[in-house]
Amino acid sequence: MKVSNRVWNIEASPMRKLNPIVRELIQQGIKVYQLNIGQPDIKTPNAFLNAIQDFSDEIISYTPSEGIPELIKSIQNYYKMYNIHFNEDEILVTNGGSEALLYAFMGVCDIGDQVLIPEPFYSNYNTFAKLAGAEIVAIPTKIEDDFALPSFEKLDALINKKVKAILLTHPGNPTGKVYNQEEMQRIAKLALKHDLFIIADEVYREFVYDGISYNSFASREEIKDRVIIIDSVSKRYSACGARIGCISSKNKQLMKQLLKVCQSRLSVPILEQIGATALFSTPKEYFYEIIEIYRKRRDIVYQSLKQMEGVICGKPQGAFYIIAKLPIDDCDAFAKWMLEKFRINNETLLLAPAKSFYSTQGMGNDEMRIAYILEEESLKRAMYILQEALKKYPGRKY
Amino acid sequence: MKVSNRVWNIEASPMRKLNPIVRELIQQGIKVYQLNIGQPDIKTPNAFLNAIQDFSDEIISYTPSEGIPELIKSIQNYYKMYNIHFNEDEILVTNGGSEALLYAFMGVCDIGDQVLIPEPFYSNYNTFAKLAGAEIVAIPTKIEDDFALPSFEKLDALINKKVKAILLTHPGNPTGKVYNQEEMQRIAKLALKHDLFIIADEVYREFVYDGISYNSFASREEIKDRVIIIDSVSKRYSACGARIGCISSKNKQLMKQLLKVCQSRLSVPILEQIGATALFSTPKEYFYEIIEIYRKRRDIVYQSLKQMEGVICGKPQGAFYIIAKLPIDDCDAFAKWMLEKFRINNETLLLAPAKSFYSTQGMGNDEMRIAYILEEESLKRAMYILQEALKKYPGRKY
């Protein structure tokens, strides 16, 4: 009686595996600046709870497997703000972006099939791939190049018969990378040449800074039948705990098959669907203030990192993460050391070791992901703690 | 660009595939008695919405991947009523029993591994198996024997190296079968002999009639490290739309690995977890009245079927389903014919074709599953419609 190799081989979440230590520290009265996880501190719009307030069904019944019609309508209208047009039957509501991603892997991959993903990438992609029996092939990108995509030739060389899709996070987690038109065109060309799906995880769509123009993969006419969009209310409306997401595609065949998958899990929770219906109707103006908040935070973190000796990082254009290359031996050891050994006035810091965002062995050992999801004073303090920790860390390389 | 064979090969939900026709009929003003799906008409306890009423978090945040501590505690206490003891870290909260089942398949099976299941079985098991790349091997049981388990020797003959687990629904859906102590012992012996997991889907635990004693697979000492219990609030508290379930096991290794799977989808919706915490604290007495309601309904359906010429069925001991063998050529054709052609005073009937509850080709063609989830008068009327439909159906065999 053995558990499967499939689950055995899943790596523990790099963002969550240190949580037990953190809980202990907090109990001991130690303050931990937790920049390891993308849990925003922004208030969820009141519309969410307000919408649920009126709910009074006597029987909490199954809802349609594809999502309640009101929510699908609301998502359609949300997309229209970005000039993206999906029909009702081109949207399936899911248990967060997570389920949408798992279904995307399952929908395009049979056992042993491959998906190309620029690395570093959101580490849970590894888990979804393993659960689906699929393989991730990393597209190498580097912090020194601001995570720019490789040339078409280099991308082309990665293709073999097993590759079924390219998955991109846009804007990127953990990189903050926003793909420019030329890079998107390169991806489109590759997908067309090799008949691939493009899975675009665009859950950070709104979080783009410095007036950079953002384009969804769903806006490109030439690839519209092969694009699969992943979305979620989690980051967009700071509603991570609601677990409402969706998978949208104009590929009728895919959506027809995935509807059967949705039917197997019957439906998505009713209350959060009602709340999310209100969230997706939030006017675009709501984001102006939020984006400004994150932009300022990014600047604090970026400027602080730039001033630290031996630290390399680019200026992220989107999302709320930054990858920093540090003068350290091992990111896991450094993260643990900060929690267990390093204090300034009873305060310490938790960052996400970036090793797990790479699938290529040996990459990211000296990198950390910082989520700038606390208010400015806390971020300043956290960056000061990082700076001092780097000075004292016994595993400092140079 | 092709969708995967995996999703392509999934059969559309037999319970849901006729829904589009039903929606059309209802719009035309035709009354359809929908006994095709296990959506109870019992009021959800007020405790569910009451518990959520007080919720006022300003930020809808991620909750622990394993479930909120209050809910886990509440589930622990619920199990204690049945003399089942699970520690906190032996329970993982899931998105309904559905996710718990998918995780069970993924946790015990690698690609090509097999799970034994007595057939007829809940048809979504097929989908979970396909998504996990696992295979179902049917344990044949027959309506004429009240779906009794085969002898130990016959069970033993089904085992090969690929079999990793036996999955049982107890009480059974679609059969209403409740396993007796001797049958449970047989399963235990088989699992011990071949070192198998036992996945016990016990979501209908409370719905047992005629004073028959019910025993959970979790109560058997000799197999406690190999039992995986699947549970849900859906049927138990008539809260299908909340989508809260759990997977529980004393197998530490399994739970440790499945926690990583749970972490990949971050968490389960917060509001429904709060509501479910209240539901799992419902006193045992609550069920007395509910069980009596279902018992009476079962009797109506069973007695009516017994009186119909050419119909074979046993008296189900649990859950709220009954399988009936009808004198028809094909259950799919009959279900469709009733919807499209048969009316009595503008009323018709929808049952679930039982073919999809069998994985053995050719089985169940002349069987239907009836969910007795409407009040008595409707059930009587529905049974009258069935009786008359059987007289008129052009595909009647004898």
Side-chain angles (χ1 to χ4, degrees):
Chain A
M1 183 185 52
K2 259 184 51 211
V3 304
S4 66
N5 292 320
R6 175 201 338 245
V7 293
W8 193 273
N9 290 336
I10 292 169
E11 241 198 290
S13 163
M15 285 83 85
R16 290 176 172 243
K17 68 185 171 188
L18 294 171
N19 282 354
I21 305 180
V22 172
R23 274 197 284 267
E24 223 170 90
L25 293 185
I26 292 169
Q27 278 188 337
Q28 291 167 24
I30 291 164
K31 176 155 179 80
V32 183
Y33 293 97
Q34 297 182 53
L35 305 184
N36 59 316
I37 194 166
Q39 168 60 61
D41 65 337
I42 307 283
K43 207 169 157 300
T44 313
N46 293 331
F48 181 81
L49 285 185
N50 287 349
I52 292 163
Q53 215 79 61
D54 295 334
F55 182 83
S56 61
D57 285 10
E58 292 215 319
I59 304 171
I60 313 292
S61 307
Y62 289 124
T63 53
S65 300
E66 62 271 25
I68 58 173
E70 301 83 342
L71 175 52
I72 292 175
K73 189 94 221 149
S74 183
I75 295 172
Q76 278 185 294
N77 288 335
Y78 160 81
Y79 279 131
K80 278 182 197 156
M81 295 197 301
Y82 294 88
N83 243 329
I84 302 170
H85 295 271
F86 282 117
N87 297 329
E88 280 165 44
D89 59 352
E90 293 168 348
I91 297 170
L92 292 167
V93 175
T94 55
N95 287 296
S98 307
E99 192 184 62
L101 282 159
L102 179 64
Y103 287 1
F105 272 99
M106 289 185 158
V108 306
C109 289
D110 279 309
I111 310 306
D113 283 346
Q114 297 179 343
V115 175
L116 291 187
I117 312 182
E119 78 173 355
F121 56 80
Y122 178 52
S123 56
N124 283 324
Y125 293 164
N126 277 318
T127 307
F128 303 139
K130 283 197 179 115
L131 291 177
E135 282 167 34
I136 290 175
V137 175
I139 300 174
T141 76
K142 285 200 306 202
I143 192 168
E144 290 82 0
D145 304 335
D146 278 342
F147 305 107
L149 277 183
S151 67
F152 182 82
E153 289 66 34
K154 282 191 178 156
L155 289 171
D156 201 47
L158 294 170
I159 304 285
N160 66 69
K161 285 228 157 127
K162 286 180 158 186
V163 177
K164 302 294 157 146
I166 317 165
L167 164 53
L168 305 108
T169 327
H170 177 54
N173 169 12
T175 61
K177 165 81 182 164
V178 177
Y179 293 104
N180 61 39
Q181 288 279 23
E182 198 283 323
E183 287 171 307
M184 292 174 75
Q185 206 166 12
R186 213 180 304 164
I187 292 293
K189 191 175 153 194
L190 190 74
L192 285 165
K193 179 173 173 192
H194 299 286
D195 203 21
L196 308 175
F197 280 104
I198 297 170
I199 306 168
D201 179 349
E202 300 188 349
V203 299
Y204 298 97
R205 185 177 295 113
E206 281 73 16
F207 306 109
V208 174
Y209 313 113
D210 308 328
I212 287 166
S213 93
Y214 173 85
N215 292 285
S216 166
F217 277 94
S219 323
R220 297 191 76 88
E221 191 60 27
E222 78 273 32
I223 49 172
K224 71 173 183 186
D225 60 331
R226 57 184 74 242
V227 166
I228 303 167
I229 300 288
I230 308 296
D231 254 307
S232 164
V233 300
S234 295
K235 317 294 174 169
R236 182 165 296 136
Y237 307 110
S238 196
C240 298
R243 315 305 305 128
I244 296 291
C246 61
I247 182 165
S248 308
S249 177
K250 298 197 92 65
N251 188 298
K252 298 266 181 216
Q253 211 40 263
L254 177 76
M255 296 311 277
K256 192 177 160 189
Q257 306 308 323
L258 287 185
L259 174 59
K260 296 186 298 185
V261 181
C262 289
Q263 285 177 339
S264 77
R265 55 84 167 121
L266 308 170
S267 61
V268 166
I270 186 166
L271 292 174
E272 274 80 358
Q273 286 193 81
I274 293 169
T277 303
L279 289 180
F280 272 111
S281 305
T282 307
K284 217 171 174 171
E285 293 70 37
Y286 160 80
F287 295 105
Y288 299 165
E289 194 192 336
I290 312 283
I291 290 168
E292 194 50 18
I293 291 170
Y294 281 123
R295 203 265 309 151
K296 283 184 188 158
R297 292 175 176 183
R298 179 206 57 178
D299 288 350
I300 288 169
V301 173
Y302 173 69
Q303 297 301 346
S304 308
L305 289 170
K306 274 300 192 198
Q307 282 158 25
M308 294 181 206
E309 219 188 297
V311 172
I312 296 169
C313 72
K315 194 177 191 177
Q317 301 175 311
F320 36 67
Y321 307 101
I322 187 165
I323 289 268
K325 200 192 245 314
L326 307 180
I328 54 169
D329 54 348
D330 180 81
C331 54
D332 282 324
F334 180 62
K336 229 175 151 199
W337 176 82
M338 277 202 292
L339 281 185
E340 290 178 345
K341 309 269 167 136
F342 190 73
R343 311 272 182 275
I344 295 180
N345 290 336
N346 238 7
E347 295 183 345
T348 189
L349 176 62
L350 179 57
L351 306 178
K355 198 194 290 186
S356 310
F357 298 110
Y358 290 85
S359 65
T360 306
Q361 206 64 23
M363 292 293 292
N365 263 333
D366 55 355
E367 296 178 11
M368 298 292 258
R369 185 191 75 172
I370 301 167
Y372 41 96
I373 40 71
L374 297 181
E375 42 72 37
E376 298 179 22
E377 287 314 305
S378 294
L379 282 179
K380 283 178 192 164
R381 183 76 189 152
M383 287 303 102
Y384 173 70
I385 293 172
L386 175 62
Q387 176 188 298
E388 297 307 303
L390 283 174
K391 289 179 189 165
K392 300 271 168 56
Y393 180 54
R396 181 165 179 130
K397 282 193 302 185
Y398 46 85
Chain B
M1 184 186 49
K2 256 185 52 211
V3 303
S4 67
N5 292 321
R6 175 199 339 243
V7 294
W8 194 273
N9 291 336
I10 292 169
E11 240 199 292
S13 165
M15 285 82 84
R16 291 176 172 244
K17 69 186 172 189
L18 294 170
N19 282 355
I21 305 179
V22 173
R23 275 197 284 268
E24 223 171 90
L25 293 185
I26 292 170
Q27 278 189 336
Q28 292 166 24
I30 291 163
K31 175 154 181 77
V32 184
Y33 294 96
Q34 297 182 52
L35 305 183
N36 58 317
I37 195 168
Q39 166 62 60
D41 66 337
I42 307 284
K43 203 169 159 300
T44 313
N46 293 330
F48 181 82
L49 285 185
N50 287 348
I52 291 163
Q53 215 81 61
D54 296 333
F55 182 84
S56 61
D57 286 10
E58 292 215 317
I59 304 171
I60 312 292
S61 307
Y62 289 124
T63 54
S65 300
E66 61 272 24
I68 58 173
E70 300 84 343
L71 176 52
I72 293 177
K73 189 94 221 149
S74 183
I75 295 172
Q76 277 185 294
N77 287 335
Y78 160 81
Y79 279 131
K80 278 183 196 155
M81 295 197 303
Y82 294 88
N83 244 328
I84 302 169
H85 295 271
F86 282 119
N87 298 328
E88 281 166 42
D89 59 352
E90 294 168 348
I91 297 170
L92 292 167
V93 175
T94 54
N95 287 297
S98 307
E99 191 183 62
L101 283 158
L102 179 63
Y103 286 2
F105 273 101
M106 289 184 159
V108 306
C109 291
D110 280 308
I111 309 308
D113 284 345
Q114 297 179 345
V115 175
L116 290 187
I117 313 182
E119 79 173 354
F121 55 81
Y122 178 53
S123 55
N124 283 324
Y125 294 163
N126 278 319
T127 308
F128 303 138
K130 283 196 178 115
L131 291 178
E135 283 168 32
I136 290 176
V137 176
I139 300 173
T141 77
K142 285 200 306 200
I143 192 167
E144 290 81 0
D145 304 333
D146 278 342
F147 304 108
L149 277 184
S151 67
F152 182 82
E153 289 64 35
K154 282 190 179 157
L155 290 170
D156 201 47
L158 294 170
I159 303 287
N160 67 69
K161 286 228 156 128
K162 285 179 159 185
V163 176
K164 303 293 159 150
I166 317 164
L167 164 52
L168 304 109
T169 328
H170 176 54
N173 169 13
T175 61
K177 165 79 181 165
V178 177
Y179 293 105
N180 60 39
Q181 287 280 23
E182 199 284 324
E183 287 171 308
M184 291 174 76
Q185 208 166 11
R186 211 180 306 164
I187 292 294
K189 191 175 152 193
L190 190 75
L192 285 165
K193 178 173 174 192
H194 298 288
D195 202 21
L196 308 175
F197 280 104
I198 297 170
I199 306 168
D201 180 349
E202 301 189 349
V203 300
Y204 297 98
R205 185 176 295 116
E206 281 73 16
F207 305 109
V208 173
Y209 313 113
D210 309 328
I212 286 166
S213 94
Y214 174 85
N215 294 284
S216 166
F217 278 94
S219 322
R220 297 191 77 88
E221 191 59 25
E222 77 273 30
I223 49 172
K224 71 174 185 186
D225 59 330
R226 59 184 71 242
V227 165
I228 304 167
I229 300 288
I230 307 296
D231 254 307
S232 163
V233 300
S234 295
K235 317 294 172 166
R236 183 163 296 137
Y237 307 109
S238 196
C240 298
R243 313 306 305 125
I244 295 291
C246 61
I247 182 165
S248 308
S249 178
K250 298 197 91 64
N251 188 298
K252 298 268 181 213
Q253 212 40 263
L254 177 76
M255 296 311 278
K256 193 178 158 187
Q257 305 310 322
L258 288 185
L259 174 59
K260 294 185 299 184
V261 181
C262 289
Q263 286 178 338
S264 77
R265 54 84 166 119
L266 307 169
S267 61
V268 166
I270 187 165
L271 292 174
E272 274 81 357
Q273 286 193 80
I274 293 169
T277 302
L279 289 180
F280 272 111
S281 306
T282 307
K284 216 171 176 175
E285 293 70 37
Y286 160 81
F287 296 106
Y288 299 165
E289 192 192 339
I290 311 285
I291 291 169
E292 195 48 22
I293 291 170
Y294 282 123
R295 202 266 309 153
K296 283 186 188 157
R297 291 174 177 182
R298 179 206 57 177
D299 289 349
I300 289 169
V301 173
Y302 173 70
Q303 297 299 347
S304 308
L305 289 170
K306 275 299 191 198
Q307 284 158 23
M308 294 180 206
E309 217 186 298
V311 172
I312 296 169
C313 72
K315 193 176 191 177
Q317 301 175 309
F320 35 67
Y321 307 101
I322 188 166
I323 289 269
K325 200 191 240 324
L326 307 180
I328 55 170
D329 55 348
D330 180 81
C331 54
D332 281 326
F334 179 62
K336 227 173 154 202
W337 175 83
M338 277 203 292
L339 281 185
E340 290 177 345
K341 308 269 165 128
F342 190 74
R343 309 274 181 273
I344 296 181
N345 289 338
N346 238 8
E347 295 182 346
T348 189
L349 176 61
L350 178 57
L351 305 178
K355 199 193 294 185
S356 310
F357 297 109
Y358 290 85
S359 65
T360 306
Q361 206 63 23
M363 292 292 293
N365 262 334
D366 54 356
E367 296 178 13
M368 298 292 259
R369 185 191 74 171
I370 301 168
Y372 39 98
I373 40 69
L374 296 181
E375 43 72 38
E376 298 178 22
E377 286 314 305
S378 295
L379 282 179
K380 284 178 190 164
R381 183 76 188 152
M383 288 304 100
Y384 173 71
I385 294 171
L386 175 62
Q387 174 189 297
E388 297 306 303
L390 282 173
K391 289 178 189 165
K392 302 270 167 58
Y393 180 54
R396 179 164 180 132
K397 282 194 304 185
Y398 48 86

